[in-house]
Amino acid sequence: MAKNRKKALRGRAGRMQGGRGSGRASTGQVRLWGHHAVEAALKNPARAHHKLWATREAIAELDGELPPDFPVEYADNPDLDRLVARDAPHQGLVLECAALEDVFLADVMAGEADRPLVVLDQVTDPHNVGAIMRSAAAFGASAIVTQDRHAPPEGGVLAKAASGALEVLPWVRVVNLARALEEMAEAGYWRIGLAGEAEATLAEALPAGPVALVLGAEGPGMRQNIAAHCDALARLPISESVESLNVSNAAAVALYAVAAR
């Protein structure tokens, strides 16, 4: 990308609303950071962009050209540090933009049924959810589904962990996860809950048709009501020397198994 020749504006970034350590954007906006997350958001036509703070070096490393009138403010790394969560690896890029529009489950299920759905029951760590998004996008999942009240918000930590997947993978947020699982069954999806205590392995439980993989939070796992809404429970055949996998690792293995069946 050619370097933009606008004059750098010093000091203003550090005084933006949100301040050091918060990583918050102004009302109605989302603040993203990191090369892959910001570059993907800039390429996403569904994003309404508000402003980009960046070092000249980071701008030069972006893939493609920014529009001539794009709102860019050049800043040094110390100024960018004040715009994001403490110690966040912004890599010289901080973007403030509008949140993504809502995605509806019915619309996703009306698409390609051979692509799995990933359902997360109260997985609240944004690093885990972002990493699961990255794996889901890599293995061709049609969407990630979470309960609105028990999932991390769209933001910089999640987007950085997703490494661009937030912009390409539909994220469905529902009020009632059990009801959403019922809708998946009505649409012909076989709902498989991952549980370490299950007798069947995932390979044994996988059907030939549409699949919804259901994963619970680390520690408590799936809630009883959510497990009851699964057609089968299955485990990953891991060594007895390891008690369990991180939920994002388990999701990646399960998605690979679906893709390779």
Side-chain angles (χ1 to χ4, degrees):
M1 172 176 291
K3 292 183 180 179
N4 192 312
R5 299 300 181 183
K6 289 183 180 179
K7 183 179 179 181
L9 300 177
R10 297 178 179 275
R12 290 177 58 196
R15 296 194 294 272
M16 284 296 296
Q17 179 180 350
R20 174 182 287 279
S22 68
R24 294 177 298 173
S26 54
T27 304
Q29 302 290 329
V30 173
R31 191 168 293 171
L32 309 178
W33 55 78
H35 178 89
H36 292 297
V38 169
E39 184 174 85
L42 290 171
K43 290 181 176 181
N44 185 358
R47 285 280 191 191
H49 304 112
H50 178 62
K51 190 171 186 178
L52 175 66
W53 292 269
T55 64
R56 293 184 181 274
E57 294 77 14
I59 286 283
E61 292 174 359
L62 288 173
D63 178 26
E65 295 282 344
L66 290 174
D69 58 346
F70 196 90
V72 179
E73 180 172 323
Y74 289 106
D76 295 326
N77 281 318
D79 282 331
L80 297 177
D81 291 342
R82 298 186 180 97
L83 288 171
V84 301
R86 186 176 297 276
D87 298 325
H90 54 70
Q91 298 174 300
L93 295 166
V94 180
L95 176 68
E96 191 162 286
C97 53
L100 292 169
E101 294 291 330
D102 290 338
V103 179
F104 298 99
L105 182 59
D107 295 335
V108 170
M109 294 191 299
E112 302 173 63
D114 60 332
R115 301 171 62 190
L117 288 168
V118 179
V119 182
L120 303 182
D121 180 28
Q122 298 193 337
V123 180
T124 57
D125 186 331
H127 296 92
N128 280 334
V129 175
I132 291 169
M133 282 187 169
R134 187 176 186 180
S135 295
F139 289 111
S142 60
I144 185 172
V145 182
T146 66
Q147 190 173 2
D148 192 40
R149 289 191 306 161
H150 299 286
E154 181 183 343
V157 175
L158 184 148
K160 184 69 169 63
S163 193
L166 176 62
E167 308 300 325
V168 297
L169 179 74
W171 183 2
V172 179
R173 280 169 274 207
V174 299
V175 174
N176 188 316
L177 199 59
R179 176 56 190 154
L181 287 167
E182 292 174 1
E183 292 176 16
M184 292 174 201
E186 292 166 5
Y189 283 81
W190 187 255
R191 304 157 301 177
I192 301 178
L194 290 187
E197 69 276 11
E199 293 186 8
T201 65
L202 179 58
E204 294 167 341
L206 276 177
V211 173
L213 294 171
V214 187
L215 297 98
E218 289 190 57
M222 284 180 294
R223 288 172 293 166
Q224 184 176 358
N225 184 43
I226 299 304
H229 278 80
C230 292
D231 298 296
L233 297 180
R235 59 180 172 82
L236 298 177
I238 62 174
S239 167
E240 293 182 357
S241 62
V242 178
E243 182 178 352
S244 64
L245 291 177
N246 171 282
V247 65
S248 63
N249 293 332
V253 173
L255 283 161
Y256 171 76
V258 174
R261 61 182 169 169

